[in-house]
Amino acid sequence: MKKIFVTGGAGYIGSHVVKALGEAGYQVLVYDNLSTGNRWAVLHGDLVVGELSDRQLLSNTLRDFQPDAVMHFAAFIEVAESVSNPLKYYRNNTLNALQLLEVLQELNIGRFIFSSTAAVYGTPEEIPVAETAPLEPINPYGASKMMSERLLADLTLALPEDFRYVALRYFNVAGADSGGRIGQAYKNPTHLITRALKTARGQYPALQLFGTDYPTEDGTCIRDYIHVDDLAEAHLVALRHLLNGGQSDIFNCGYGHGYSVREVIEVAKKVSGVDFTVIEADRREGDPAALTAKSDKIVSELDWKPRHDDLEYIVRTAWEWEQKVDAKLSD
Ligand code: UDP
């Protein structure tokens, strides 16, 4: 049984990947500080509660577990917060990734899957954006991830046999486990779908729509929303690639087409059955107008088979989860 070490495995995306790893028969060890993650979200394997910055604990845990591969999810993810507090992002997303790589090198652990982001592209000249597009992040979040990608690229160049990685550039991840066991559980979520659904549930008086003067058809931003279970499956195909001796590589994770903020709001109203209040507000700093993935590379090279390319399904699973999450958080 192959052993996979998962940082941030108690968080939103990490927990869905841990679920998929467990179902596929891998042995899993999660390392998470539970700052945004939750113990109940770890559906398979064991959990070590620790800081990524705690080099000693990280090193001892890895030495004991001897994983075949590492998946690195632990990171901060909010664009707006990264603009107001950039050093927090560089410290956690870049410096802690660097330290993790140092520890892995010391221990000769050389297969690595990295959570990257479409934010590394900034405002791409062409959409859907291909993996080969220039990396020009427009916010510290994207820059912090781009720097980590660079560390990985340089390390694999230096040690082509001993260190191989796959970086997955996530587009807009949303939705929840179809079994309703896990989902997004942030205390103050900023992402559009979650925010809209919490507004529908009356947890916020209104949804702010950030920017209606973008150069898009309806003036609002366009994003490529991908269901979290499809994203989890992308990690599994990437893992098989590395475990079967595949080379280091980078893949977009999105469906290849997008929806505007207004379209998402319409679907959220339909699914919830609530005509919640929407306030048109100024643009949010750091938001590109449109971001969609050219996604054929992961499909053709890793045989990724997405199954939930359906905004209504994404929003419905998120809505079902919203009925449960508060009770989960107060457990
Ligand atoms: N957005 C919005 N209101 C919100 C949250 C998000 O209008 O309460 C917009 C945001 O400006 C962006 C899109 O929805 O255009 C997606 O934002 P989100 O934070 O979900 O993901 P991001 O693309 O920033 O990773």
Side-chain angles (χ1 to χ4, degrees):
M1 196 193 271
K2 295 285 186 190
K3 295 193 281 186
I4 315 299
F5 183 82
V6 184
T7 76
Y12 170 49
I13 297 172
S15 65
H16 285 80
V17 175
V18 166
K19 173 189 74 164
L21 287 168
E23 286 167 359
Y26 291 96
Q27 187 182 339
V28 178
L29 180 62
V30 170
Y31 188 93
D32 198 302
N33 67 1
L34 301 182
S35 62
T36 55
N38 294 283
R39 205 174 278 279
W40 49 256
V42 180
L43 298 178
H44 291 277
D46 294 319
L47 167 67
V48 170
V49 178
E51 296 292 334
L52 215 46
S53 56
D54 185 345
R55 188 179 183 122
Q56 202 58 52
L57 179 64
L58 185 64
S59 179
N60 290 344
T61 309
L62 280 160
R63 185 178 285 113
D64 290 346
F65 187 57
Q66 291 291 327
D68 296 283
V70 170
M71 292 187 173
H72 180 42
F73 295 95
F76 295 137
I77 56 156
E78 286 176 21
V79 168
E81 187 192 34
S82 82
V83 174
S84 59
N85 197 351
L87 299 186
K88 176 177 173 183
Y89 276 66
Y90 291 117
R91 172 160 299 280
N92 193 33
N93 295 4
T94 312
L95 288 186
N96 284 343
L98 168 69
Q99 174 165 274
L100 172 61
L101 292 172
E102 286 174 341
V103 171
L104 296 181
Q105 199 179 347
E106 282 163 14
L107 298 173
N108 294 314
I109 298 165
R111 296 294 176 269
F112 193 79
I113 294 186
F114 180 61
S115 299
S116 190
T117 168
V120 296
Y121 297 118
T123 305
E125 268 179 26
E126 254 181 73
I127 54 161
V129 61
E131 289 87 347
T132 49
L135 304 188
E136 292 169 357
I138 59 169
N139 52 59
Y141 168 63
S144 71
K145 290 283 186 172
M146 181 188 72
M147 289 181 193
S148 301
E149 279 201 24
R150 183 60 195 258
L151 302 178
L152 295 168
D154 287 342
L155 190 55
T156 203
L157 271 181
L159 307 166
E161 291 306 316
D162 294 339
F163 183 80
R164 294 193 188 166
Y165 75 97
V166 169
L168 297 175
R169 292 182 181 152
Y170 309 163
F171 284 66
N172 286 64
V173 189
D177 169 43
S178 55
R181 295 163 294 176
I182 49 178
Q184 222 176 73
Y186 306 135
K187 296 204 173 67
N188 191 18
T190 61
H191 289 112
L192 175 63
I193 291 177
T194 313
R195 203 70 197 192
L197 296 178
K198 286 192 187 296
T199 308
R201 279 176 56 79
Q203 295 176 4
Y204 300 108
L207 178 76
Q208 288 199 301
L209 196 176
F210 298 129
T212 53
D213 60 347
Y214 283 98
T216 60
E217 208 161 297
D218 68 14
T220 66
C221 290
I222 292 173
R223 295 288 182 275
D224 187 337
Y225 295 90
I226 170 176
H227 192 277
V228 64
D229 280 336
D230 277 340
L231 183 68
E233 183 56 27
H235 289 76
L236 262 70
V237 295
L239 177 64
R240 278 183 218 119
H241 167 80
L242 287 180
L243 295 179
N244 291 334
Q247 296 292 332
S248 293
D249 216 334
I250 295 171
F251 299 94
N252 283 340
C253 292
Y255 293 135
H257 58 91
Y259 296 94
S260 72
V261 176
R262 286 196 204 281
E263 288 173 319
V264 172
I265 291 171
E266 275 322 299
V267 173
K269 287 185 174 181
K270 180 179 168 200
V271 166
S272 65
V274 182
D275 186 16
F276 54 83
T277 306
V278 176
I279 295 173
E280 297 192 357
D282 288 344
R283 291 182 179 195
R284 191 175 67 176
E285 235 181 303
D287 277 344
L291 201 50
T292 56
K294 192 166 184 307
S295 57
D296 49 314
K297 184 178 173 193
I298 188 167
V299 171
S300 63
E301 294 186 20
L302 299 187
D303 199 25
W304 179 56
K305 292 192 176 71
R307 286 182 306 186
H308 306 301
D309 179 2
D310 172 354
L311 185 61
E312 207 170 306
Y313 176 81
I314 293 173
V315 174
R316 199 167 63 244
T317 54
W319 177 243
E320 283 161 8
W321 172 247
E322 280 306 319
Q323 320 306 311
K324 301 181 181 165
V325 60
D326 294 337
K328 280 278 193 186
L329 283 174
S330 60
D331 269 357

